[in-house]
Amino acid sequence: GAVCLASCLSRLPQLRCLAASNNNFLAAGAQSLAAAVRGLPMLQELHLAMNNMGAEGGAAVAEALQSLKRLDTLDLGSNMLGDPGVESVALALPGLSELHTLNLSSNNLHRAGVKHVTAMLARMGSNRWMSLNLGGNEIDDYAMKYLAEALTGPSFVESLKALHLGRTEISQQGVRTVAPALQKLTKLEAFELKYPGLNQMKEVPLAVPESLHHMLHQNRAYKSQHTSYVLRPVSPPRSAQTRLTRFARPHTDPTGGGGGGGK
């Protein structure tokens, strides 16, 4: 399938969006597809989620990214990239000056991978990030330090609207680490995380920007529904301090976040 698709792509040099997710291309298929993608200089969106390409496939796609100077959306969620594959992709990121949406969810990403990704993101000062999805990975409290540092950069502070950290391994300490960075994200509208400790509290004081109007919190205790936290300003009304009030209800995610949605 990937070989046939690659053959077709060679005749579509003006293609602007390639959506080829959930095809189980594996590493060999990803390599064939990556070779064809190099000939698509006009490409703006590349969706290759759920193809089980692994680290080798991720490295091939990373090499192809060097030819996609107009790319603004990159979706590589659920591809078993691991830290080596994600690191390959991370090294290609600084060359994508127009990239503003990145999905690396559910890729068996650990502390080392997060360090590489966030280091590269911090170097991309000219970008205006809209959405970053690192959910579904083995991100621990220590890794959150790297992420928090990257989020305070000007490219995130002035533009990031959605941050997805669902189904990670952060604890209360990780929430405390990222909270100051969240407060600086003045355009943030949606934030997703998993921290089971929040399930024990009716109201959770957390410093977040007033622009945040949707927060999705996941918990293993909820099988068929999630807990949505709706922000309520704390007096005085214009204070940067807000309070999260919990309402258990069926899951609806207005942001359309990808890998962050739980099952």
Side-chain angles (χ1 to χ4, degrees):
V3 174
C4 292
L5 178 58
S7 177
C8 293
L9 292 176
S10 65
R11 298 189 290 271
L12 300 170
Q14 301 299 311
L15 192 68
R16 285 174 168 75
C17 177
L18 175 59
S21 297
N22 199 21
N23 285 293
N24 200 33
F25 287 144
L26 305 180
Q31 291 168 346
S32 297
L33 200 59
V37 166
R38 294 192 191 98
L40 304 175
M42 306 298 289
L43 199 66
Q44 296 176 341
E45 296 186 28
L46 180 58
H47 302 271
L48 295 176
M50 296 179 287
N51 279 307
N52 296 318
M53 64 179 66
E56 293 183 7
V61 171
E63 185 176 347
L65 292 177
Q66 299 175 20
S67 303
L68 306 180
K69 302 301 183 182
R70 299 192 179 189
L71 197 68
D72 62 45
T73 299
L74 177 60
D75 181 3
L76 294 176
S78 302
N79 269 303
M80 301 174 64
L81 298 179
D83 288 338
V86 170
E87 289 171 17
S88 296
V89 173
L91 290 174
L93 293 180
L96 303 176
S97 60
E98 297 187 21
L99 191 69
H100 61 63
T101 297
L102 178 63
N103 181 9
L104 291 174
S105 63
S106 301
N107 270 302
N108 198 28
L109 183 63
H110 296 79
R111 187 181 300 176
V114 173
K115 182 177 181 179
H116 278 83
V117 170
T118 53
M120 293 300 104
L121 294 178
R123 290 175 52 185
M124 301 169 69
S126 62
N127 292 54
R128 288 294 174 263
W129 290 98
M130 302 291 288
S131 176
L132 177 62
N133 191 338
L134 296 177
N137 288 301
E138 303 297 318
I139 299 177
D140 60 12
D141 293 340
Y142 197 90
M144 289 297 289
K145 296 180 180 179
Y146 300 130
L147 179 60
E149 291 176 2
L151 291 177
T152 57
S155 58
F156 286 98
V157 168
E158 299 172 3
S159 62
L160 190 66
K161 292 186 177 181
L163 177 61
H164 302 277
L165 297 174
R167 296 180 291 120
T168 58
E169 299 301 321
I170 65 174
S171 71
Q172 184 176 7
Q173 182 58 47
V175 175
R176 289 174 176 172
T177 298
V178 77
L182 290 179
Q183 188 176 7
K184 297 179 181 180
L185 301 175
T186 58
K187 303 296 184 181
L188 193 67
E189 297 178 356
F191 175 52
E192 181 180 5
L193 84 160
K194 183 194 83 172
Y195 168 47
L198 290 179
N199 188 50
Q200 309 299 322
M201 311 174 190
K202 292 183 178 180
E203 290 190 323
V204 185
L206 181 63
V208 292
E210 294 183 359
S211 60
L212 186 63
H213 61 69
H214 177 78
M215 181 173 177
L216 177 64
H217 162 247
Q218 291 177 266
N219 192 320
R220 294 187 183 92
Y222 289 85
K223 301 297 183 181
S224 60
Q225 58 181 304
H226 295 265
T227 301
S228 293
Y229 288 86
V230 182
L231 292 172
R232 306 296 187 194
V234 170
S235 183
R238 298 187 62 82
S239 171
Q241 180 76 12
T242 58
R243 191 172 297 274
L244 306 180
T245 304
R246 188 180 65 190
F247 298 94
R249 61 186 181 186
H251 167 50
T252 55
D253 184 356
T255 68
K263 296 181 180 179

